[in-house]
Amino acid sequence: MNNIAGKKDITDDELKGNERIEEAISSLQKEPSQEMLAHTLTVIRRRMNENGQFVVAVEPPKPGQVMSMQLKAVKTGDGKIWWTAFTSFDEELKGADSMKSAFLTDIGRLFHTALEAAEIKGIIINPWNRTIMLDRELINIILGQES
């Protein structure tokens, strides 16, 4: 993970190409169908296979914790906990609560880690705009694994 805290004008090479994900999600929102969902998942898989990265927010260590940062999570109305990830710094900055610390992380590593975290329902990409909620089944499809 690369620390990018406080730097709002960085365009990292690892984020170039993520606009294809944003475009696919936008198309899916305009025309929700199984075909558009399959296309969007394929675009995400391609970015993952190109060693693409997402921007993720981290929570600072709680008092008494020794240098243990956790990915920022959101709780949906049904009580389920999701991690958030962003395709760009612009998407991250649209959030209601401006993040204090953000990092770049490998898309594939983030997906694998989410599947290992029992309490996590999945990952919400761009929760403020051009949003897609990837539950465990969709993450497994992207990774090419059986769920």
Side-chain angles (χ1 to χ4, degrees), residues 71-139:
L71 289 178
K72 185 162 179 66
V74 295
K75 189 181 281 193
T76 52
D78 57 6
K80 297 195 165 85
I81 298 172
W82 299 73
W83 283 340
T84 57
F86 304 89
T87 52
S88 68
F89 297 106
D90 287 342
E91 288 297 328
E92 176 257 328
L93 290 173
K94 291 176 183 173
D97 58 340
S98 184
M99 295 180 221
K100 293 186 174 90
S101 293
F103 291 82
L104 292 180
T105 191
D106 178 81
I107 294 171
R109 185 177 311 145
L110 179 65
F111 289 162
H112 284 287
T113 304
L115 293 176
E116 293 168 6
E119 72 280 3
I120 299 300
K121 174 73 174 161
I123 299 169
I124 302 173
I125 298 176
N126 296 337
W128 326 124
N129 180 41
R130 293 185 182 165
T131 300
I132 187 167
M133 296 175 78
L134 300 174
D135 61 15
R136 291 173 174 276
E137 182 179 348
L138 294 178
I139 291 170

Side-chain angles (χ1 to χ4, degrees), residues 14-32:
E14 290 86 356
L15 295 176
K16 288 180 184 162
N18 283 357
E19 66 277 357
R20 294 191 309 260
I21 295 173
E22 294 171 10
E23 291 162 6
I25 292 170
S26 180
S27 295
L28 176 63
Q29 289 174 331
K30 289 177 191 157
E31 181 192 327

